[in-house]
Amino acid sequence: MTLIAARPGAGTPRPYRFPAVVRREVAGGRVVAAHLPGQNLAVAVLLLDAGAGREPVGKEGLGGVLAKALEEGTAQRDATTFALAVEGLGTELVTGLDWDSFQVSVQVPVDRLSAAVELLAEAVRTPRLDPDDVRRVRDDEATALRMDWANPGPRADAALRADLFGADNRWGRPMYGDPDSVAALDVEDVTVFHSEWFLRPGTLIVAGDLDRLDLDALAAAAFAGTGGGPAERGGPIEVPLHTGRRILLVDRPGSVQSTLRLGHPSPHRAHPDHVPMTLAGTVLGGAFTSRLNHLIREVRGYTYGIRGDFASSRRFGRFAVSSGVQNAVTAPALVEAVGEITRTQVGGVTADELAVASSWRAGQLSVELQSPRAIASALTTLVVHDLPDDYHARLREALLAADVAEVSAAAAAHLHPESLTLVVEGDAAVIRDELIATGLGEVTDATL
């Protein structure tokens, strides 16, 4: 038997053209749409500036509870009647929450979009928010979080975020809250958050055959009964880097594996280095063929998989690496990972690595941005991050045109191996001494 060890080369990216973007102001809100001629499905997304970043410190999880509460009926219809109305259109309300926005969307045949948007607006603007329903939803969400937090990972993620951004502000706490923060929410917290952020017009995103849609009528339905102008969005948050590496140990007694989370702050989404930074992250850890995965998985055999990349929101970002390894190789896996990050920061990327990364990233656009829902998601990116209308039309060319010098410069500028926080969730009694022996940084116990 002969094993083929050589990786295949980069293929030719498929051609792609992003549809033209249409913008208009209607009924106090904004409409951003993309024309998809001949497409029989249409998507509408109501985009609100009500992301997790709007939640008060100590009230983390409000957005998640409210998202579930929107399914419990409206001022006009009880939960069953409303659900039947939505199902009668052959659709469902899909909610989404991130740091910057709250989204509610529907996908239906073009001729049903008007009725679907009316139901969407009814749920968002006039939810029933019966106290008993809100408390039940809250308790269900808290229970789900307790189950999730019983697994490896969430506590390590929370420890890393708190160390990078500070637990005394919202950015330094979990996006969806934790079991205790959600369980402590009361009905008034939810109703006040709704009245403050969900009655503003927001932006209606539409992707479909605009020749068969009345954007003005859709906007009038989406923005009916709203008021108030846009809230202050704030600029990028300046997050200082640590002056040295540190290891935070999250004790998980009896665990036979260690969960690894390595990270440091990085630029916000609209930063001019976003494309070369993304490609540097792809070469380092953002794909199966990445340096980290090749070294830690294929060469060393320490893990089933390891990933590292840059992620960013409107106001801040972070570089992070995540993996899981056996106790016996926890320390060497950390040493190797930090070493690979350092090598990339110091030496940059190679032409062959960049060719694979840029071809893959550009090729994804040809595959992913095809459906109305994917186009609508791309439009939300433009709105949330104040990007130009031709951003996605130019993105493929930008990915393919990036050169080794540009991507290597981004790696040098935005990777900071000497400032990494290394979070290890595992059996402290078993792994502590070996972590200290690595000399990667002072080992302290994480407080959660």
Side-chain angles (χ1 to χ4, degrees):
M1 178 181 296
T2 301
L3 296 178
I4 300 174
R7 295 176 178 174
T12 302
R14 299 179 184 178
Y16 179 75
R17 183 177 64 85
F18 194 81
V21 178
V22 176
R23 290 180 183 257
R24 64 181 62 175
E25 304 282 334
V26 181
R30 293 188 299 171
V31 178
V32 179
H35 182 35
L36 308 178
Q39 176 60 253
N40 289 322
L41 283 178
V43 170
V45 182
L46 186 57
L47 181 66
L48 303 175
D49 191 354
R54 295 295 190 187
E55 297 171 352
V57 173
K59 302 292 184 180
E60 297 83 21
L62 274 171
V65 172
L66 188 48
K68 294 294 185 181
L70 295 183
E71 302 173 2
E72 302 299 323
T74 69
Q76 295 84 6
R77 318 175 206 223
D78 62 25
T80 300
T81 305
F82 184 80
L84 289 173
V86 173
E87 291 172 4
L89 295 176
T91 188
E92 62 178 336
L93 295 185
V94 178
T95 58
L97 174 74
D98 57 29
W99 286 109
D100 303 313
S101 67
F102 188 101
Q103 306 171 22
V104 187
S105 66
V106 289
Q107 177 174 269
V108 291
V110 173
D111 59 359
R112 299 181 184 179
L113 189 61
S114 179
V117 168
E118 290 178 2
L119 289 175
L120 182 157
E122 182 180 322
V124 172
R125 310 303 190 184
T126 61
R128 183 170 295 241
L129 297 184
D130 178 85
D132 289 340
D133 290 337
V134 172
R135 284 189 283 265
R136 174 173 48 79
V137 167
R138 174 204 62 196
D139 293 345
D140 288 347
E141 288 296 289
T143 298
L145 282 172
R146 288 191 188 96
M147 295 173 64
D148 186 39
W149 280 55
N151 297 314
R155 290 200 300 154
D157 291 331
L160 178 61
R161 176 163 294 279
D163 188 72
L164 298 188
F165 301 108
D168 57 345
N169 65 69
R170 184 61 187 92
W171 320 108
R173 302 187 180 205
M175 181 188 297
Y176 297 104
D178 59 48
D180 293 334
S181 71
V182 172
L185 297 174
D186 58 34
V187 174
E188 184 179 6
D189 293 327
V190 177
T191 57
V192 168
F193 190 74
H194 176 269
S195 65
E196 185 170 2
W197 299 108
F198 281 58
L199 300 182
R200 301 172 188 261
T203 301
L204 181 67
I205 306 290
V206 179
D209 189 341
L210 300 187
D211 290 338
R212 300 158 62 190
L213 295 170
D214 185 339
L215 290 181
D216 290 346
L218 291 173
F223 304 144
T226 63
E232 173 59 42
R233 296 171 63 161
I237 297 172
E238 297 296 330
V239 183
L241 293 164
H242 294 315
T243 56
R245 279 193 301 267
R246 63 187 70 188
I247 300 176
L248 298 182
L249 186 51
V250 179
D251 192 17
R252 189 176 180 84
S255 178
V256 299
Q257 290 189 336
S258 296
T259 298
L260 309 182
R261 298 291 187 267
L262 294 66
H264 60 64
S266 65
H268 59 96
R269 176 62 175 78
H271 192 279
D273 283 351
H274 177 74
V275 167
M277 193 168 64
T278 297
L279 290 171
T282 302
V283 170
L284 174 59
F288 188 79
T289 57
S290 70
R291 289 180 173 185
L292 282 171
N293 202 60
H294 176 71
L295 175 64
I296 308 299
R297 171 193 159 103
E298 298 181 29
V299 176
R300 301 302 185 205
Y302 290 160
T303 183
Y304 185 77
I306 183 170
R307 184 172 184 84
D309 58 12
F310 292 93
S312 52
S313 67
R314 188 166 63 209
R315 304 188 67 190
F316 62 91
R318 66 98 183 101
F319 168 76
V321 174
S322 61
S323 187
V325 298
Q326 295 289 323
N327 286 348
V329 297
T330 299
L334 276 181
V335 171
E336 296 277 18
V338 172
E340 197 64 34
I341 296 169
T342 302
R343 183 170 77 89
T344 304
Q345 192 267 342
V346 172
V349 304
T350 68
D352 289 343
E353 289 173 325
L354 179 56
V356 171
S358 59
S359 176
W360 178 58
R361 287 291 185 185
Q364 280 185 310
L365 298 179
S366 304
V367 175
E368 294 178 353
L369 294 181
Q370 294 291 335
S371 68
R373 189 170 289 282
I375 297 296
S377 178
L379 293 179
T380 65
T381 299
L382 301 184
V383 174
V384 170
H385 301 292
D386 295 320
L387 298 172
D389 288 351
D390 64 348
Y391 174 79
H392 289 99
R394 293 185 294 104
L395 180 56
R396 180 176 180 274
E397 286 70 24
L399 288 165
L400 294 174
D403 59 29
V404 169
E406 181 184 12
V407 175
S408 295
H414 302 298
L415 287 174
H416 303 280
E418 75 287 350
S419 298
L420 284 166
T421 294
L422 315 176
V423 177
V424 182
E425 180 181 3
D427 191 334
V430 174
I431 62 178
R432 184 189 300 274
D433 289 345
E434 291 188 4
L435 292 177
I436 294 172
T438 65
L440 291 175
E442 181 182 0
V443 178
T444 60
D445 292 318
T447 57
L448 294 172

